[in-house]
Amino acid sequence: MVKSGGEWRKMDEFSTNNMDPSSPPERFYAGEFRHSIDEKNRITIPSRWRRGKAEDFILLPEASQQFLLVMSPDEFGRMSSTAESNESVPARDRRVFLRQLHSRAQHAAADRQGRLVVPDELCRKVGLKGEVALVGGRGRFEIWNLQRWKRAHEEETPTYQHVANVIGL
């Protein structure tokens, strides 16, 4: 329970129920999991990330197509709004970016058992087959080709260690 504006409301461990683009995400995904993608391109979302009901997601290949971003429609909307209102980017560039962003994004649904069906086209673009890595992040998670993930994780470890030292972790 959280007290907010004089009234009490129940919050699950992942929810903030706040639509402000600068606020924390409605969900928080943490950890790394390995799952296999089956012949129907289904990936099981880790149980601690599920809500126990069918869920809608937006799938978006990362800009360099190294992995697939998975987020709620609300999280995608916040990201889109942030890009649309960023005046440090010229208006024409924002329009082009938003057109490209929305054309690359696809709707997907996970069933009650947490199986997310990834379209063939996206599996091919980011090389998803066999065992994959699901990697948590604030209001979204990533699905990686396992070999790409291992390389990226290894290459990024020095940066992680450096920043951890700088912030006193």
Side-chain angles (χ1 to χ4, degrees):
M1 295 286 207
V2 172
K3 187 169 183 175
S4 173
E7 64 183 53
W8 289 90
R9 61 186 168 88
K10 185 176 181 180
M11 292 179 65
D12 68 24
E13 64 181 305
F14 299 110
S15 178
T16 63
N17 295 325
N18 191 335
M19 292 303 294
D20 178 357
S22 64
S23 72
E26 73 180 48
R27 299 285 301 265
F28 191 89
Y29 301 97
E32 173 191 333
F33 300 88
R34 295 189 182 170
H35 289 259
S36 292
I37 186 166
D38 70 15
E39 67 282 346
K40 295 180 182 177
N41 294 341
R42 293 180 303 193
I43 299 171
T44 302
I45 297 171
S47 61
R48 64 177 39 177
W49 291 356
R50 289 187 242 151
R51 291 191 173 172
K53 61 181 181 170
E55 291 186 72
D56 291 323
F57 289 99
I58 300 293
L59 307 178
L60 179 68
E62 178 261 347
S64 64
Q65 299 187 357
Q66 293 295 305
F67 56 88
L68 189 62
L69 288 162
V70 182
M71 65 193 82
S72 72
D74 288 341
E75 180 73 10
F76 183 78
R78 278 190 289 279
M79 181 178 61
S80 180
S81 293
T82 298
E84 189 170 18
S85 63
N86 186 333
E87 294 188 11
S88 69
V89 177
R92 180 191 178 284
D93 291 352
R94 287 194 311 257
R95 283 192 309 275
V96 168
F97 172 79
L98 289 166
R99 182 181 315 118
Q100 291 291 320
L101 175 72
H102 290 97
S103 71
R104 294 167 192 230
Q106 293 191 31
H107 289 271
D111 63 17
R112 291 175 58 110
Q113 289 78 36
R115 294 175 301 198
L116 178 67
V117 178
V118 180
D120 285 330
E121 165 195 344
L122 292 179
C123 286
R124 281 191 305 275
K125 278 185 181 178
V126 298
L128 300 179
K129 60 184 172 187
E131 193 174 15
V132 297
L134 289 90
V135 180
R138 279 182 58 99
R140 60 190 86 164
F141 63 92
E142 302 165 355
I143 304 174
W144 286 77
N145 167 293
L146 186 57
Q147 298 313 313
R148 283 185 187 164
W149 167 245
K150 287 178 179 178
R151 276 193 308 274
H153 184 65
E154 188 176 308
E155 291 169 3
E156 293 171 349
T157 293
T159 301
Y160 172 79
Q161 291 170 334
H162 169 73
V163 174
N165 286 332
V166 168
I167 66 170
L169 182 64

